[in-house]
Structures are given as C-alpha cells and as structure tokens.
Amino acid sequence: MADEFMKGFAIFVTASLGWLVVAGWYKTPAFEGPQLLGTYPESPDVFSQIAIIAGEGMFYFAIFGTLAFWVLVPAINEAREAYAERK
C-alpha cells in the first residue's frame, strides 16, 4: 500500500506544482487582488490558451490521479483478495 500512496503523492505534488505555476502566471493580475483564484485573461494568444488548458488539466489530474491511487487501486486490490478468498 505504501507504493500506491507514494505514486498518488507524486502525482499530487507534480501536478499541483504545474497548476500553481500556470495559475500564478495567468490568474494573478496584481499582488493586492485575488491571487491564484482570479480570472484568466479575456483574449489570450495561442500559447497562453495552451498553457491555460494545460494548467486546468493538471488541476484535475492532481485531484483524480491522487484519488485513483489512494482510493481506487487499493479498493480493487482488496476486492481481488476478497474474491480470491471466496473461492
């Protein structure tokens, strides 16, 4: 189980760091205003659109990837063991 925990933790840390970089770059208009939770620019160029999409993808990957390794994989392993013991 420690292996799955570390995989989920690594996904959480790296994807969260990527999201923090993108959010800090594009969602922080000023130091006095909302930081990391502001709005994206209204008319971004092509590379900014790619970065925004990648940042949002990293946010959801951090959440669902972590949950997959912390909840889903151990639940599947426990279900396999319970099924093997029934036979």
Side-chain angles (χ1 to χ4, degrees):
M1 291 294 176
D3 186 37
E4 283 87 7
F5 176 78
M6 287 309 299
K7 287 177 186 175
F9 188 68
I11 286 172
F12 180 73
V13 168
T14 54
S16 296
L17 179 64
W19 176 79
L20 279 171
V21 168
V22 172
W25 192 268
Y26 290 103
K27 290 179 115 178
T28 305
F31 290 112
E32 295 82 26
Q35 295 184 358
L36 302 177
L37 299 175
T39 58
Y40 285 118
E42 291 184 15
S43 59
D45 60 349
V46 175
F47 293 114
S48 296
Q49 289 177 0
I50 293 170
I52 290 169
I53 290 170
E56 290 296 315
M58 285 184 271
F59 176 77
Y60 289 110
F61 180 64
I63 293 171
F64 293 124
T66 303
L67 287 176
F69 277 101
W70 287 356
V71 176
L72 190 62
V73 171
I76 290 171
N77 289 339
E78 290 292 325
R80 281 186 188 161
E81 288 176 12
Y83 183 73
E85 290 176 1
R86 283 183 75 190
K87 286 186 173 185

